[in-house]
Amino acid sequence: MRPEQQYIDLYAQAEALLRNHSTEPLNRLRANAFADFERLGFPTRRQEDCKYTDVAKAFEPDYGINLKRLPIPVNPYEVFKCDVPNMSTSLFFVVNDALSYTEKTLPDGVILGNFHDHPELVERYLGTLADTSKDGLTAFNTAFAQDGVLLYVPKGVIVEKPIQLINILRSDVPLLVNRRMLIVLEDGAQARLLVCDHTMDEVNFLATQVIEVFAGRDSVFDLYELEETHTGTTRLSNLYVRQEAGSNVLLNGMTLTNGTTRNTTRVLLAGEQASLDLCGMAIADKNQHVDTRTVVEHAVPSCTSRQLFKNVLDDRATGAFSGLVLVRPGAQHTDARQTNRNLCATRDARMYTQPQLEIYADDVKCSHGATVGQLDDAALFYMRQRGIPLHEARLLLMFAFVNEVVDTIRLDALKDRLHHLVEKRFRGELGKCRTCGGCR
């Protein structure tokens, strides 16, 4: 049986339950999304942009879904020990796919809440970037998601304090969760958001996630995503971003521990003088898998985009990167750079990379490049000659390799903490801990 069929059957049986325990903006999109899912199905390796990750296979196991939205008894402060010294944040928790706890420390007019409490605002934006007719995974998420998290920053408001959103996966049985986020910064607004993914239990989890980001004229937005889960977790995330004129957006996704991860990011530079920094870093070992796909579309003149992605793969880990920079006709004076560098620490590790440029304008500066290599034998020899043990020398070289991505972080306290966590990851200390114990 095709993996889609069990969810098609489930939808037919539980559509009323889905709607009754959901919010109206999602219900408005649900029927069309399900029709798109029936037509498209899950992405498969036969599709060019999915050939390194078998998304459909991830849905074959029998997962539970909390359709009745039963509350999960979790005290976030008992299970979450993470702390970033010297960085005071406004802290929020999502347990599985439900916002469960918030701190009321945001400026007037700024909202971080669930879709259910802000239907009119959500209705205005939801689904306008995440097109279900073109992506089966987005269609599936839209058909089955029942609520979501809204971040809204009004015109001209500057949120000085970083916002931290903790996603905690909690279940006694294998669980499928469908997370949804909507982020809206109006003209001149500024905010920084750190999203951390953690698992509380050792069961298998499958998490689909769709995020839509609207960056208004002259807005400034940082989105940092940090994944620290376990080898039984599959994360399938689609991030959609639209930038208006003069906006400045930094997107940085970091995977420290995981099972299977596929992150897709699509950015539309829709207003002149918009600038984008799109970065990512992954450290994988054992049989872990990290797949990254980016599409950056320059639709108007005089925009800038910078992409930097690095992967360190050990043991039998696999990685993939597919990046497309698309320059539309008339998008003159585009400045776009894309870099993907990868380090395979063993002969069994595998990396697949495919940088792409598609240019329909003649006055542009565009470049792309990709490298896949191993640790520098000459550097290892030089360090060993100076008394550094081989194991320590390898760690130092791998740590230096990923530092460039960590250094793009525009929060000094978070940057320092990530340097510490990366070092612990390379030493194998994060994998020994549970419930974010490596951050203690």
Side-chain angles (χ1 to χ4, degrees):
M1 183 175 69
R2 295 165 57 236
E4 292 88 352
Q5 192 59 50
Q6 64 175 316
Y7 295 102
I8 292 172
D9 294 343
L10 175 63
Y11 187 90
Q13 299 165 9
E15 181 180 5
L17 191 62
L18 276 166
R19 288 183 170 275
N20 291 339
H21 293 272
S22 187
T23 183
E24 185 53 37
L26 278 166
N27 283 337
R28 178 180 59 83
L29 303 175
R30 197 175 307 280
N32 286 339
F34 179 70
D36 288 333
F37 172 65
E38 281 191 298
R39 175 176 56 84
L40 295 168
F42 293 119
T44 69
R45 285 184 168 178
R46 292 191 297 271
Q47 297 169 235
E48 179 65 24
D49 60 354
C50 282
K51 63 182 180 180
Y52 300 116
T53 302
D54 195 341
V55 173
K57 187 176 178 63
F59 288 86
E60 289 180 355
D62 186 14
Y63 289 97
I65 307 179
N66 186 8
L67 297 179
K68 293 184 179 179
R69 312 294 290 168
L70 299 176
I72 306 298
V74 176
N75 182 340
Y77 286 107
E78 290 181 0
V79 300
F80 181 74
K81 309 296 183 183
C82 204
D83 180 36
V84 181
N86 304 318
M87 188 177 81
S88 175
T89 63
S90 297
L91 193 58
F92 299 81
F93 290 95
V94 171
V95 177
N96 296 332
D97 55 3
L99 188 66
S100 67
Y101 177 81
T102 64
E103 288 187 349
K104 308 296 184 181
T105 57
L106 297 175
D108 290 344
V110 177
I111 297 169
L112 199 150
N114 57 46
F115 287 1
H116 180 77
D117 292 334
H118 308 279
E120 292 183 2
L121 189 55
V122 173
E123 183 92 21
R124 194 185 314 164
Y125 294 97
L126 188 68
T128 58
L129 294 182
D131 188 349
T132 61
S133 69
K134 296 180 180 179
D135 185 274
L137 190 60
T138 295
F140 173 83
N141 176 280
T142 307
F144 283 92
Q146 293 175 277
D147 204 351
V149 176
L150 167 69
L151 171 61
Y152 171 76
V153 186
K155 182 176 181 180
V157 174
I158 298 175
V159 184
E160 298 285 355
K161 200 175 191 180
I163 301 168
Q164 188 173 11
L165 182 66
I166 313 300
N167 288 322
I168 298 174
L169 292 173
R170 165 75 178 95
S171 179
D172 296 326
V173 298
L175 185 69
L176 165 62
V177 302
N178 297 293
R179 296 193 294 243
R180 195 78 186 218
M181 279 196 73
L182 176 62
I183 300 169
V184 179
L185 277 75
E186 292 193 341
D187 296 350
Q190 297 184 25
R192 295 166 293 180
L193 175 64
L194 168 62
V195 180
C196 303
D197 283 6
H198 299 282
T199 48
M200 182 177 170
D201 301 289
E202 295 298 326
V203 303
N204 292 338
F205 291 100
L206 172 57
T208 76
Q209 175 174 276
V210 174
I211 303 176
E212 295 174 275
V213 177
F214 296 83
R217 181 182 293 268
D218 297 321
S219 63
V220 179
F221 180 59
D222 293 7
L223 174 60
Y224 305 103
E225 293 188 274
L226 176 62
E227 183 180 11
E228 289 182 271
T229 56
H230 61 55
T231 55
T233 302
T234 298
R235 167 191 157 109
L236 305 171
S237 177
N238 287 350
L239 169 61
Y240 299 86
V241 182
R242 178 186 174 95
Q243 292 187 234
E244 303 299 341
S247 60
N248 181 294
V249 171
L250 168 62
L251 308 172
N252 190 326
M254 295 157 284
T255 298
L256 295 184
T257 53
N258 74 313
T260 295
T261 297
R262 175 173 166 82
N263 294 322
T264 300
T265 302
R266 297 178 178 272
V267 182
L268 173 64
L269 298 166
E272 294 190 22
Q273 303 298 328
S275 64
L276 167 71
D277 287 284
L278 177 55
C279 313
M281 175 269 289
I283 302 169
D285 54 17
K286 304 180 181 68
N287 289 306
Q288 294 167 345
H289 177 82
V290 181
D291 184 354
T292 301
R293 173 164 172 76
T294 68
V295 178
V296 176
E297 181 179 348
H298 287 256
V300 297
S302 304
C303 291
T304 301
S305 66
R306 297 285 183 267
Q307 296 186 61
L308 175 63
F309 287 87
K310 290 192 173 186
N311 297 287
V312 176
L313 307 174
D314 206 346
D315 298 331
R316 297 168 304 284
T318 57
F321 173 81
S322 175
L324 171 64
V325 176
L326 173 60
V327 181
R328 293 291 186 188
Q332 307 293 357
H333 310 297
T334 287
D335 186 351
R337 299 179 191 175
Q338 181 190 89
T339 303
N340 174 227
R341 297 185 182 130
N342 308 283
L343 187 62
C344 292
T346 66
R347 292 186 179 276
D348 292 327
R350 294 289 182 268
M351 182 69 205
Y352 307 91
T353 182
Q354 188 179 17
Q356 304 165 73
L357 294 176
E358 195 172 327
I359 302 171
Y360 300 98
D362 56 10
D363 186 5
V364 301
K365 292 192 295 183
C366 297
S367 65
H368 67 161
T371 61
V372 180
Q374 295 181 319
L375 291 171
D376 189 332
D377 289 337
L380 285 171
F381 178 78
Y382 177 88
M383 296 168 76
R384 294 190 70 189
Q385 287 292 95
R386 279 146 185 81
I388 301 175
L390 176 60
H391 178 67
E392 191 70 20
R394 283 167 52 88
L395 291 177
L396 289 172
L397 288 178
M398 291 189 291
F399 183 67
F401 180 77
V402 299
N403 265 354
E404 188 178 1
V405 175
V406 178
D407 285 341
T408 65
I409 295 173
R410 298 192 285 208
L411 290 169
D412 289 340
L414 178 59
K415 184 189 304 184
D416 293 342
R417 193 61 177 170
L418 259 296
H419 282 306
H420 175 66
L421 290 179
V422 167
E423 181 180 357
K424 290 174 74 71
R425 174 65 174 92
F426 279 131
R427 295 184 184 279
E429 297 174 22
L430 290 184
K432 300 175 184 178
C433 308
R434 296 184 183 182
T435 65
C436 197
C439 303
R440 296 174 189 170

